[in-house]
Amino acid sequence: MDKNYYAVLMAGGVGSRFWPISTTAYPKQFHDMLGTGDTLIQKTFKRLAKFVPVENILILTNERYNELVLEQLPEVKQEQVVLEPAMRNTAPCILYAALKIQKKNPDAVMIVAPSDHWIEDEEAFAKDVITCFDKCEKENVLCTLGIKPTFPNTGFGYIEFEKKDVEPLKTVNQFREKPDYETAKDFIKQGNFLWNAGIFMWSVKTIVDAFKKYQPEQYNLFLSGLVYYNTDQERAFINENYPKAENVSIDYAILEPSSNIFVLPATFDWNDLGTWGSLYDKLDKDDNQNALVNCRVLAEDSQGNMIRSPKGKIIVIDGLKDYIVVDKEEVLLIYPKSKEQDIKKVLTKIKDKFGDQLA
């Protein structure tokens, strides 16, 4: 394996649309959402470890999840777990991780990858990432993987690339916010738009220089701790200074103002596993198109349901169509798939009525 290859696995989110399985105390990346025997973070780690040395994989997460990370990834040492003492979106944590890596290896190239994506063809994924790494090692560029749209999805941001570009890696014209349905249809019709998967590759030098240019305050804040990084004094510096960082995404802070960005249309199937509906799409179905995780189901006149329970539980349903049914100890959720985007609102109401212990 190439010792200059590094990975930053983003594992700090809560995944509230997967409530009641995903909670603040135990979010979705630490659950076996697909019923495969591996949690999402374990699957992502194994995928990255096929081409990145295990010791070069950093896990970026909230400090409350430190023990969960070490428990689920026994190959990882404590110094590989990069802890955020406060939630500050993706830009500050990526800069922090990049500076840590740069101090250790100035020639490093790195991938930033979410911990909760579904990718079946892992060989194609590795090949695409290494294609981007090759370009990042030779040129001062920022690379991302884009997903060819299969329908006018309004839940993703889009990447518009240069139509005339004949190279595999396309010049990015601009990043587009989540569109309405008609705009999304127009994007697909134009043919030079990809879904933004939030998977990025760059050299540590290029990304640090980009922060220096476009986010000088963030850059100076984190650079002031360089002497402490990868030492016993790092934690104290980060605890004091990280909360001072601006709450801003990497897209807004770096990618939108940059002009040296390239996108590679991915050659693998991808799903961001952001909702129960997206999970339903990727699971095997029974004869009535019901997707089952862990449970045994007796279904009468019931089709298109997403059903999950503790392992081995028997669930009986009759006359239920296109519903999410999730049974978890103190919570039973029975909710229309068509309203799954409202689960976050339901969670707010649950907190108001019953307190935070269920969230």
Side-chain angles (χ1 to χ4, degrees):
M1 287 193 187
D2 193 319
K3 62 180 175 53
N4 290 336
Y5 288 0
Y6 283 75
V8 174
L9 199 164
M10 307 283 279
V14 175
S16 54
R17 287 189 178 89
F18 272 113
W19 185 82
I21 296 299
S22 182
T23 63
T24 302
Y26 209 108
K28 67 173 179 177
Q29 58 268 29
F30 301 108
H31 289 277
D32 177 10
M33 299 301 298
L34 295 155
T36 62
D38 280 331
T39 65
L40 294 178
I41 193 173
Q42 288 170 335
K43 285 186 75 68
T44 305
F45 185 88
K46 288 177 181 178
R47 184 185 310 132
L48 293 168
K50 289 183 176 180
F51 61 96
V52 176
V54 164
E55 64 273 16
N56 288 0
I57 302 176
L58 302 184
I59 316 300
L60 223 161
T61 191
N62 191 280
E63 59 185 13
R64 74 174 77 183
Y65 305 135
N66 184 52
E67 293 307 315
L68 277 173
V69 169
L70 294 173
E71 176 188 316
Q72 294 203 1
L73 302 175
E75 313 96 317
V76 165
K77 297 175 182 175
Q78 180 65 70
E79 57 262 31
Q80 292 172 251
V81 186
V82 183
L83 300 174
E84 302 169 86
M87 301 287 266
R88 287 294 181 271
N89 215 312
T90 51
C93 58
I94 288 172
L95 173 59
Y96 171 30
L99 285 168
K100 278 174 62 68
I101 294 169
Q102 187 179 39
K103 186 178 179 184
K104 192 177 289 188
N105 182 350
D107 299 321
V109 288
M110 59 187 274
I111 174 174
V112 176
S115 61
D116 51 5
H117 288 179
W118 177 92
I119 294 170
E120 190 165 307
D121 190 343
E122 298 188 341
E123 286 187 14
F125 170 76
K127 185 179 176 185
D128 285 354
V129 173
I130 291 170
T131 296
C132 293
F133 275 174
D134 288 345
K135 189 171 183 70
C136 293
E137 286 181 318
K138 295 169 188 166
E139 301 176 42
N140 178 29
V141 296
L142 306 170
C143 291
T144 183
L145 296 179
I147 310 300
K148 295 168 188 171
T150 52
F151 67 99
N153 195 316
T154 59
F156 299 144
Y158 284 70
I159 302 168
E160 180 186 352
F161 63 86
E162 179 53 55
K163 226 172 192 175
K164 298 173 185 174
D165 209 328
V166 295
E167 297 297 322
L169 274 148
K170 316 292 185 186
T171 303
V172 171
N173 288 338
Q174 60 179 323
F175 288 81
R176 305 291 285 267
E177 298 294 329
K178 295 175 183 177
D180 58 33
Y181 185 71
E182 290 303 317
T183 305
K185 283 204 301 185
D186 184 56
F187 285 171
I188 291 177
K189 186 178 178 182
Q190 290 184 55
N192 61 323
F193 284 80
L194 301 166
W195 288 338
N196 183 358
I199 302 171
F200 308 112
M201 287 75 43
W202 38 57
S203 70
V204 289
K205 181 183 185 309
T206 299
I207 190 62
V208 169
D209 285 349
F211 270 96
K212 185 177 182 180
K213 181 177 181 179
Y214 298 113
Q215 292 284 314
E217 283 189 29
Q218 293 261 33
Y219 171 79
N220 289 324
L221 174 65
F222 283 95
L223 189 70
S224 67
L226 190 62
V227 67
Y228 305 120
Y229 295 155
N230 308 327
T231 74
D232 292 341
Q233 297 167 287
E234 176 180 339
R235 193 83 232 117
F237 171 82
I238 288 298
N239 284 341
E240 180 182 347
N241 290 280
Y242 199 93
K244 300 174 186 175
E246 184 185 354
N247 189 341
V248 60
S249 71
I250 192 72
D251 299 63
Y252 184 81
I254 301 298
L255 300 177
E256 289 183 13
S258 297
S259 57
N260 57 336
I261 306 179
F262 290 81
V263 62
L264 179 67
T267 61
F268 52 85
D269 287 338
W270 170 90
N271 191 299
D272 78 329
L273 293 186
T275 63
W276 286 111
S278 63
L279 180 62
Y280 171 86
D281 291 340
K282 288 303 168 193
L283 291 169
D284 292 335
K285 319 290 191 300
D286 66 12
D287 293 342
N288 292 308
Q289 293 301 298
N290 296 311
L292 315 176
V293 178
N294 295 336
C295 48
R296 295 177 287 169
V297 173
L298 176 62
E300 299 287 342
D301 188 28
S302 297
Q303 298 90 33
N305 299 296
M306 169 73 238
I307 307 170
R308 181 188 170 110
S309 75
K311 201 160 189 67
K313 191 162 190 175
I314 295 173
I315 293 180
V316 181
I317 55 174
D318 193 335
L320 207 60
K321 292 181 176 65
D322 296 322
Y323 265 73
I324 300 162
V325 180
V326 182
D327 184 19
K328 183 203 170 191
E329 295 151 359
E330 70 276 19
V331 178
L332 173 63
L333 176 74
I334 304 172
Y335 209 74
K337 274 198 316 195
S338 61
K339 295 176 66 178
E340 66 172 4
Q341 295 295 334
D342 292 338
I343 288 177
K344 285 183 84 168
K345 297 176 186 174
V346 171
L347 190 50
T348 301
K349 294 176 182 176
I350 290 284
K351 289 178 182 178
D352 290 344
K353 187 163 186 177
F354 302 110
D356 285 348
Q357 69 271 18
L358 299 178

